[in-house]
Amino acid sequence: MAEGLAYQVLCLLREHGPLSRVELADRLAVPRARLLAELTRLTEADRVREAGPAASRGGRRSTLVELSPKHRFGAVDLGATSVRIEVTDRRLDPVAAVEEPVDIRSGPRPVLRVVTELLEKLRAEGAYRQLDGLGVGLPGPVSFRDGVPVSPPIMPGWDGFGVREMLAHEHNCPVVVDNDVNIMAIGEGYGGVARSVDDFLFVKLGTGIGCGIHLGGEVFRGKDGCAGDIGHMQVVAHGPVCACGNTGCLEAVFGGAALARDAVAAARAGRSEPLAARLAAAGTLSAYDVGQAAAAGDATSVALIRAGGAALGGVLASLVSFVNPSMIVIGGGLAGLGHRLLAEVRAVVYGRSLPLATGNLPLVVSELGERAGALGAAKLASDLVFRQS
Amino acid sequence: MAEGLAYQVLCLLREHGPLSRVELADRLAVPRARLLAELTRLTEADRVREAGPAASRGGRRSTLVELSPKHRFGAVDLGATSVRIEVTDRRLDPVAAVEEPVDIRSGPRPVLRVVTELLEKLRAEGAYRQLDGLGVGLPGPVSFRDGVPVSPPIMPGWDGFGVREMLAHEHNCPVVVDNDVNIMAIGEGYGGVARSVDDFLFVKLGTGIGCGIHLGGEVFRGKDGCAGDIGHMQVVAHGPVCACGNTGCLEAVFGGAALARDAVAAARAGRSEPLAARLAAAGTLSAYDVGQAAAAGDATSVALIRAGGAALGGVLASLVSFVNPSMIVIGGGLAGLGHRLLAEVRAVVYGRSLPLATGNLPLVVSELGERAGALGAAKLASDLVFRQS
């Protein structure tokens, strides 16, 4: 379906800020009269307003138009163990943000109650009076059309739960629900390093590993909403057993959980003094410890990161051959492992993929960091609102 | 870009045959006056014509409209060692076909001279007077926009050669050039087993192995036109050396060339009497011999097919996790290895991919066979002509 004129106008104002009527008519290639009629309608609906005279381009001055400053979008980025919530303004810049631990396994009602309470708290603090729209990312497969999780492996009790319906009712606004990796990919495509690129892959390295597939300017979600599930691609024929029941999955070899497991084993086996010291001090180890120990020169930690990067690189090399993307963006908590990880991934991808596909292929770390998901969720929410305007 | 009304009318008539004006207006949801004006224009351009009164639906009878029967589309499916050429009618059914050996390595001018001679021969035999459009598939990466091969590995001398320009000049019609696997995927999506499916993968098993990626009803070609190059995904860490320089690529393990190599080795090592007999008789072995020997009960040949199917299945399992497609279609010469191959591929894919993605995933063999590529090329050619109408 071709997008309507109102949607196009609102998206342009979201991305560029105030524009003159003349600029809008030029960019959208519509007759001036049709644009003016649409702007009148959108002004009456309180979506846009006049913002004074435009700078002169010679001749009669045009009038600037901008999105109504009352716009507020809610963005909920739910992970396995925490939730990040933002309220953004009309340009999708945050006016308030909050992050809290939450256990996704406690089920939809308790978790969504926390979400609603946090949003109410932000409202009480003056971040918004009424949300125009709400975007939500969940750590599992989602039916984008229906707004419900579909057989999410780490989310007991969530299968088929009406997340969209419940939140729409509680916050009295349109709600859109998607997978957490997809909203990060959308954020990167809208305001991150991939903003000028149509076809890119976004790889989230967290406790698990997932991939957002951005093709032709849109996220591709697959038949059941589980496209991009690269954490269970096999990287070692007889490797470690994965939570999914198979052996040698990427997630069983690399990712936050695997790295923590391997770090503990190395510490206990006496292969790393710094890791052993950290384990003794904290009683547990995480990917963060491995990164810190590696930065301090611990050879075992460096080797763990390089081995993980090689496994990830093997999968990405295959995906480069398959998709022939314009860019690969790496984000999520483990992206903080930094240049050692990136160097290894690049070595494998550039070494294994066909030269034609890697000739101009940037392989970069996200610059949005933890904001990627919330930005993508706010983008989805505003898209939905603008389409209905 | 939204497709124009003329294009939509012509595509409907291509797919359904004669339709009444009332049906056309209903299906396209356009005002009757606008449709009639467009039909008048298309009739004057000799694209459509009236075909008598429609069957009565009560009330005044509508008039049937059909594509002009003079339409002829040329389809050229160039492989590494042979070319198949079809001339089709307005419904893309073949009115004439010819297949000839040709060595793609002899370079663009000699090969395209053969193509033109074969087309001229079909013209002399009465298959057509003038082609309306010509579709061409090449065995390598193609810049779809520019109509030229891009660094094709098995096509020396073809890099950047203006295939589209030369053929358009020689045959005085619009020409469209694509990768051979893509045109097969397009053929399957138009008139094959995947005709009712938007998102599917088409796997060509020939001398090499490639994949056509059909998403949202369109072939996805990637940044450089080399998307779907799955033959060089690694399946064995320290496997056989591939022509590309890496080790353990899918093509180095399976595919027509690898199967022939392994069959000769088995015959020489005394591991298969039937293969040894065939080698002695013909001086060479091919995938066809392995299939015949397996059908006659040769355990070594069965094992070769099963090992190949397992390697292919591993790659497809990864792609299923990544794409979450609605269907996988297997075609190309080796699809003739039949149920033993398919059983092994299915066992690995259904065993390794996540249940959500494989719950309703048909994994089937092409029913179009060798016609897939030509049908896809004719489809592309007619699309191009209809868009310009």
Side-chain angles (χ1 to χ4, degrees), chain B residues 2-58:
Chain B
E3 300 287 2
L5 179 59
Y7 174 76
Q8 295 179 58
V9 167
L10 297 170
C11 286
L12 276 177
L13 298 176
R14 176 185 65 192
E15 277 138 59
H16 298 279
L19 289 172
S20 75
R21 290 168 175 170
V22 170
E23 279 174 300
L24 279 171
D26 284 356
R27 282 172 186 258
L28 297 170
V30 288
R32 190 174 149 78
R34 184 152 171 244
L35 177 70
L36 291 183
E38 200 67 13
L39 287 175
T40 301
R41 195 178 67 75
L42 290 170
T43 306
E44 283 161 7
D46 210 3
R47 289 276 162 233
V48 306
R49 68 172 194 183
E50 293 190 4
S56 176
R57 303 203 296 185

Side-chain angles (χ1 to χ4, degrees), chain A residues 21 48 303 318:
Chain A
R21 290 168 175 169
V48 306
S318 289

Side-chain angles (χ1 to χ4, degrees), chain B residues 131-157:
Chain B
L131 292 178
D132 293 277
L134 180 60
V136 181
L138 299 177
V142 169
S143 166
F144 186 70
R145 201 193 54 194
D146 301 330
V148 301
V150 181
S151 309
I154 64 165
M155 300 169 64

Side-chain angles (χ1 to χ4, degrees), chain B residues 13 28 34 58 73 75 85 88 99 113 121 128 162 164 172 193 214 225-226 229 239 262 280 286 289 327 337:
Chain B
L13 298 176
L28 297 170
R34 184 152 171 244
F73 302 106
I85 296 184
T88 81
E99 200 158 343
R113 194 177 312 127
K121 181 164 161 278
Y128 69 96
R164 183 174 66 197
N172 193 29
V193 68
H214 211 272
C226 63
D229 192 357
D262 291 348
S286 71
D289 294 297
M327 182 183 281
L337 292 175

Side-chain angles (χ1 to χ4, degrees), chain A residues 150 213 215 220 222-230 233-234 246-247 249 318 321-326 351-352 354 356, chain B residues 213 215 220 222-230 233-234 246-247 249 318-319 321-326 351-352 354 356:
Chain A
V150 182
I213 308 168
L215 303 180
F220 177 76
K223 174 167 68 84
D224 308 290
C226 64
D229 192 357
I230 65 172
M233 286 170 70
Q234 192 177 45
N246 281 309
T247 58
C249 296
S318 289
S321 293
F322 183 68
V323 176
N324 185 204
S326 297
R352 270 217 67 89
L354 294 188
L356 177 57
Chain B
I213 308 167
L215 303 181
F220 178 76
K223 175 168 67 86
D224 308 290
C226 63
D229 192 357
I230 65 171
M233 285 168 72
Q234 193 178 42
N246 281 310
T247 57
C249 295
S318 289
L319 298 183
S321 293
F322 184 68
V323 176
N324 185 205
S326 297
R352 269 218 68 89
L354 294 188
L356 178 58

Side-chain angles (χ1 to χ4, degrees), chain B residues 206-208 251-264 285-287 334:
Chain B
T207 307
E251 258 183 42
V253 173
F254 189 52
L259 206 50
R261 173 202 66 202
D262 291 348
V264 169
L285 287 176
S286 71
L334 266 65

